[in-house]
């Protein structure tokens, strides 16, 4: 692993630990960034525990910074650092720093779009341009959201803790959303390589922590099941040359059977509770995909019909159309996409292109592929679309 890999893997954990020690997100983030800058200069080989090295160095950099400050708040923060100086340097203690930070980032006092941007920045280590590409908004907008969220946390003294038991149900939905989005960014990155295993692993780990905290909450179990069943297919997503492999073409022997078994058991637990929700239904869809030698598309379509009632979003409509194509053919699927709008989302024109190819309408398909290629930010997906487009005229 190189320094960039350490940054991707350890940034969120280090920031969360420094937030606990400092009680200030801005100072924690600046200290961690300073520590990585020092690592760039000093590391010839990786230390045995890179995360602990970064935390220790960041703490020292923060102390140096605070010593140059003269405010009472700065002196108090320095006292906190010195008080914690004797703590072990392990990153990710038993009382999970990242779980505390995600509840802080997802506090109801913050705007929903700010919660997501702040969490992906602090816990996912994503840079502002990456977050902007993921949500199809200008970089300046994302930067403003993050700044405003940090200011709100500081000015209103939002606590850095996991909520009490009676608060958890009301605080849960935005946390589930952010974990879902974090995993998705790892599973299909908006730029660079297709897969970021560090983000996927961190989202799964945090979902496990949340399930341990709330074992009787069906949507928590549903989200964990969804992530496990999706993660189980990751080893087959890329071919030997790094090319994208679609679900129907994947070598199922490469799938992680232990994760599939765990995910299926979680889905069964959700079914016994009989309190369906969007994450549970998505988990059930993925359970169908991972059950047996081939997908039962009729079951998948029936589940998407249920999901569309609970979560009638354009993305659900798009995914449902894929199932319609498998069950009823491409003409009905194309009709189902009429009126679906997802500006800037490359998978909508890509799906239309595939349906048009199956209908023999190659000129229209070529135009749709061109649109999808122009929108695709990920190099692996763009290469796949270009390959599909190359087989058409025009």
């Amino acid at each position: 692993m190189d320094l960039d890999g350490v940054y991707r893997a350890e940034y969120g954990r280090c920031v969360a630990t420094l937030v606990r020690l400092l009680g200030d997100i801005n100072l924690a983030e600046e200290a961690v960034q300073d520590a990585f800058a020092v690592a760039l200069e000093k590391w010839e080989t990786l230390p045995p525990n890179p995360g602990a090295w970064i935390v220790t160095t960041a703490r020292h950099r923060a102390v140096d910074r605070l010593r140059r400050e003269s405010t009472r708040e700065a002196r108090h923060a320095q006292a906190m650092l010195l008080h914690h100086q004797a703590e072990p340097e392990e990153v990710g203690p038993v009382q999970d720093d990242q779980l505390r930070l995600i509840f802080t980032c997802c506090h109801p006092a913050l705007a929903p779009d700010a919660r997501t941007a702040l969490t992906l920045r602090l816990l996912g280590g994503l840079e502002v341009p990456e977050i902007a590409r993921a949500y199809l908004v200008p970089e300046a907008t994302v930067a403003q959201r993050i700044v405003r969220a940090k200011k709100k946390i500081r000015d209103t003294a939002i606590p850095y803790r996991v909520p009490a038991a009676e608060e958890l149900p009301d605080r849960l939905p935005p946390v589930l959303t952010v974990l879902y989005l974090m995993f998705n960014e790892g599973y299909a990155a908006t730029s660079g390589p297709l897969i970021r295993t560090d983000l996927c692993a961190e989202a799964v780990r945090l979902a496990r922590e949340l399930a341990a905290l709330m074992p009787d909450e069906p949507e928590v179990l549903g989200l964990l099941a969804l992530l496990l069943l999706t993660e189980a297919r990751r080893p087959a997503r890329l071919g030997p040359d790094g090319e994208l492999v679609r679900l129907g073409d994947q070598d199922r022997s490469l799938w992680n059977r232990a994760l599939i078994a765990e995910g299926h058991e979680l889905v069964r637990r959700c079914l016994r509770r009989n309190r369906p929700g969007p994450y549970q239904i998505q988990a059930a869809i993925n359970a169908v995909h991972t059950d047996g030698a081939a997908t039962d598309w009729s079951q998948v379509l029936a589940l998407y019909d249920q999901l569309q009632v609970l979560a009638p979003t354009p993305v659900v409509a798009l995914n449902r159309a894929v199932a319609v194509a498998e069950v009823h053919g491409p003409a009905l699927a194309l009709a189902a996409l009429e009126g679906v709008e997802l500006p800037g989302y490359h998978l909508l024109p890509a799906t239309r292109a595939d349906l048009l190819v199956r209908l023999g309408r190659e000129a229209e398909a070529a135009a749709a592929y061109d649109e999808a290629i122009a929108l695709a930010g990920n190099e692996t997906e763009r290469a796949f679309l270009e390959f599909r487009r190359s087989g058409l005229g025009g």
Side-chain angles (χ1 to χ4, degrees):
M1 182 184 294
D2 58 10
L3 182 60
D4 184 61
V6 173
Y7 181 89
R8 294 286 193 181
E10 300 290 349
Y11 181 85
R13 286 192 281 271
C14 293
V15 168
T17 299
L18 264 292
V19 170
R20 170 169 56 84
L21 297 178
L22 294 169
D24 183 287
I25 288 175
N26 274 328
L27 186 57
E29 194 172 16
E30 289 170 4
V32 171
Q33 290 168 353
D34 286 349
F36 273 103
V38 173
L40 182 62
E41 295 177 1
K42 292 192 172 182
W43 286 2
E44 295 182 1
T45 59
L46 291 183
N49 189 336
W53 191 99
I54 293 295
V55 167
T56 301
T57 303
R59 175 186 286 169
H60 292 159
R61 300 289 288 194
V63 169
D64 291 342
R65 181 187 297 266
L66 290 168
R67 281 173 177 159
R68 295 192 297 267
E69 300 288 341
S70 59
T71 65
R72 183 172 62 182
E73 290 81 2
R75 289 195 297 273
H76 175 67
Q78 183 179 346
M80 287 179 64
L81 277 178
L82 296 175
H83 174 72
H84 287 92
Q85 194 70 26
E87 285 190 358
E89 300 293 344
E90 292 298 321
V91 176
V94 175
Q95 291 189 339
D96 195 83
D97 284 331
Q98 292 98 304
L99 199 58
R100 278 196 288 258
L101 184 55
I102 199 171
F103 272 102
T104 301
C105 293
C106 293
H107 194 278
L110 303 178
D113 52 9
R115 297 171 194 160
T116 303
L118 185 62
T119 305
L120 291 177
R121 175 72 197 106
L122 296 181
L123 280 168
L126 272 67
E127 300 295 339
V128 167
E130 294 177 293
I131 301 170
R133 282 193 296 269
Y135 295 100
L136 309 173
V137 296
E139 291 180 21
T141 301
V142 171
Q144 289 167 5
R145 289 172 181 173
I146 292 172
V147 169
R148 284 196 297 265
K150 289 178 181 178
K151 185 176 186 299
K152 184 85 169 182
I153 290 171
R154 183 184 67 246
D155 292 349
T156 60
I158 290 174
Y160 175 59
R161 63 175 176 82
V162 174
E166 63 272 14
E167 298 176 89
L168 278 173
D170 291 337
R171 298 286 301 279
L172 186 61
V175 172
L176 296 179
T177 297
V178 164
L179 290 179
Y180 176 71
L181 293 172
M182 182 186 293
F183 180 88
N184 280 350
E185 178 60 24
Y187 198 73
T190 51
S191 62
L194 178 66
I195 299 169
R196 281 191 54 184
T197 55
D198 55 309
L199 273 187
C200 291
E202 186 64 8
V204 169
R205 190 190 70 78
L206 289 168
R208 287 190 188 278
E209 293 283 346
L210 199 56
L213 187 68
M214 305 180 72
D216 297 319
E217 178 55 54
E219 279 291 81
V220 173
L221 300 183
L223 176 66
L224 177 56
L226 171 61
L227 301 192
L228 293 174
L229 292 170
T230 307
E231 173 68 7
R233 303 199 309 269
R234 180 173 55 80
R237 287 196 77 210
L238 297 177
D241 297 321
E243 72 278 11
L244 179 66
V245 181
R246 296 192 296 182
L247 175 63
D249 299 323
Q250 289 178 8
D251 180 355
R252 294 184 173 224
S253 69
L254 298 176
W255 291 357
N256 187 318
R257 292 295 159 185
L259 292 183
I260 289 172
E262 185 181 359
H264 282 200
E265 174 57 29
L266 287 168
V267 170
R268 285 190 288 269
R269 286 171 61 185
C270 291
L271 289 173
R272 288 194 291 269
R273 283 169 169 78
N274 196 28
R275 291 162 51 198
Y279 291 114
Q280 295 171 74
I281 294 175
Q282 289 179 78
I285 290 168
N286 280 271
V288 175
H289 283 313
T290 53
D291 186 24
T295 295
D296 183 339
W297 284 101
S298 295
Q299 284 192 56
V300 169
L301 180 55
L303 288 165
Y304 269 120
D305 287 341
Q306 294 180 45
L307 183 58
Q308 196 166 40
V309 173
L310 289 177
T313 68
V315 171
V316 171
L318 173 60
N319 291 334
R320 180 183 175 277
V322 173
V324 169
E326 297 299 322
V327 177
H328 300 299
L332 285 178
L334 195 60
L337 288 179
E338 289 296 327
V340 175
E341 295 184 5
L342 283 163
Y345 190 53
H346 72 284
L347 291 180
L348 178 56
T351 301
R352 284 195 173 120
D354 181 69
L355 297 174
L356 289 164
V357 167
R358 292 166 67 177
L359 290 168
R361 294 158 59 178
E362 291 196 358
E364 294 171 82
Y369 271 129
D370 288 340
E371 181 184 355
I373 290 165
L375 293 173
N378 180 276
E379 59 194 39
T380 305
E381 290 182 303
R382 191 185 309 113
F384 174 81
L385 293 170
E386 288 170 345
F387 175 76
R388 300 280 294 179
R389 170 66 175 85
S390 67
L392 304 175

